[in-house]
Amino acid sequence: MRVVIAGSSGLIGTALVPRLREAGHEVVRLVRRTPQAPDERGWDPAAGHLAPGALEGADAVVNLCGAGIGDKRWTGARKQELRDSRMIPTDVLARAVAEHGVPTLVNGSAVGWYGDTGAMAVDETARRGTGFLADLCRDWEAATKPAADGGARVVLVRTGLVLSPSGGLMGRIKPLFQFGLGGKLGPGTQYWPWISLDDEIGAIVWALEHDTVSGPLNATGPDPVTNDEFTRVLGEQMSRPAPWVVPGFAMRAALGQFADEGVLVSQRVLPGVLEREGFEFRHGTLSEALHAVLDG
């Protein structure tokens, strides 16, 4: 296939590009600067501009655009940035997909759609939860409507906590464990819907290659664990004690609203579509995923 990718410089995008090429697909990367390589095409989503011919011959578009949810404190301006960085590029791409007759759009989304599920396991059939992230995901996914209306197959990849050797969640907490400062966050009973970077990329490639799949797709590991269990397993694998507890009030003081919706929230999200359709996880347990991450 000829796959056009927006957001190819992020954590997921930088791993997706070589995986697609290894699988024999041609990759075109959309960049917001002057193109400098044969596989680059320019675009300016804020201006609604896409370079002529950028989608020529494309079999699929993958949209991974979006500012990092937990990178900065959620001020009013930051929330608007989180929305704009998702909705504007998605709208531009969805309309272009429809205009150029591209068969498939694989668009980013997040497990934030589900809000706080407590101890209840949910899959793609669950209703949307409440909160800023749930509303953000609703509008993010809705922005793909022009592509669907134009006849494209649209896959909405609701990603969990991506475990990578560098960056992401592990980039933040691994140094703490290395110095013996690891510990559970808040009560520790909240479920964390993790997925290894390998399986995140595998799920996206799988969605591109299986044209019977459309709609929401949870990119999460098959065995979500509580924060307490996550802390214990990571401490064991790093041979470091993890005795500390960061109380919820301290996290709220430090992180504001993101503490409740991004860290203390419980999301027992299962990859229903991937499991039903026969996707094979490389890392089916947290222990396997962390082993791969720590050896990476």
Side-chain angles (χ1 to χ4, degrees), residues 47-153:
H49 173 71
L50 191 62
L55 301 189
E56 183 178 352
D59 298 293
V61 170
V62 177
N63 175 26
L64 302 173
C65 294
I69 291 293
D71 291 354
K72 298 179 182 178
R73 191 179 181 89
W74 286 2
T75 61
R78 180 59 176 175
K79 285 184 177 181
Q80 191 61 50
E81 182 181 1
L82 293 175
R83 288 183 56 82
D84 291 346
S85 67
R86 287 164 172 76
M87 258 57 81
I88 293 173
T90 300
D91 180 71
V92 171
L93 290 173
R95 293 181 185 280
V97 162
E99 179 183 349
H100 294 279
V102 180
T104 297
L105 170 63
V106 174
N107 205 78
S109 185
V111 295
W113 164 277
Y114 300 102
D116 194 328
T117 73
M120 181 176 66
V122 298
D123 65 9
E124 293 86 351
T125 62
R127 298 178 61 181
R128 179 174 57 87
T130 60
F132 170 72
L133 288 182
D135 291 346
L136 177 68
C137 290
R138 173 198 62 198
D139 297 342
W140 191 5
E141 295 184 5
T144 65
K145 188 174 185 297
D149 289 347
R153 175 176 69 98

Side-chain angles (χ1 to χ4, degrees), residues 227-290:
N227 170 255
D228 189 35
E229 178 72 0
F230 188 100
T231 300
R232 182 187 64 78
V233 174
L234 179 56
E236 289 176 352
Q237 294 216 7
M238 294 186 65
S239 299
R240 294 289 190 277
W244 309 104
V245 177
V246 182
F249 72 85
M251 300 205 66
R252 293 184 182 98
L255 302 176
Q257 185 181 354
F258 176 70
D260 283 313
E261 292 201 38
V263 181
L264 301 175
V265 65
S266 182
Q267 296 179 314
R268 195 175 182 181
V269 180
L270 301 177
V273 171
L274 289 175
E275 290 194 305
R276 284 194 298 272
E277 298 296 328
F279 176 79
E280 295 185 8
F281 286 89
R282 292 190 181 187
H283 308 116
T285 67
L286 176 64
S287 181
E288 292 172 347
L290 288 178

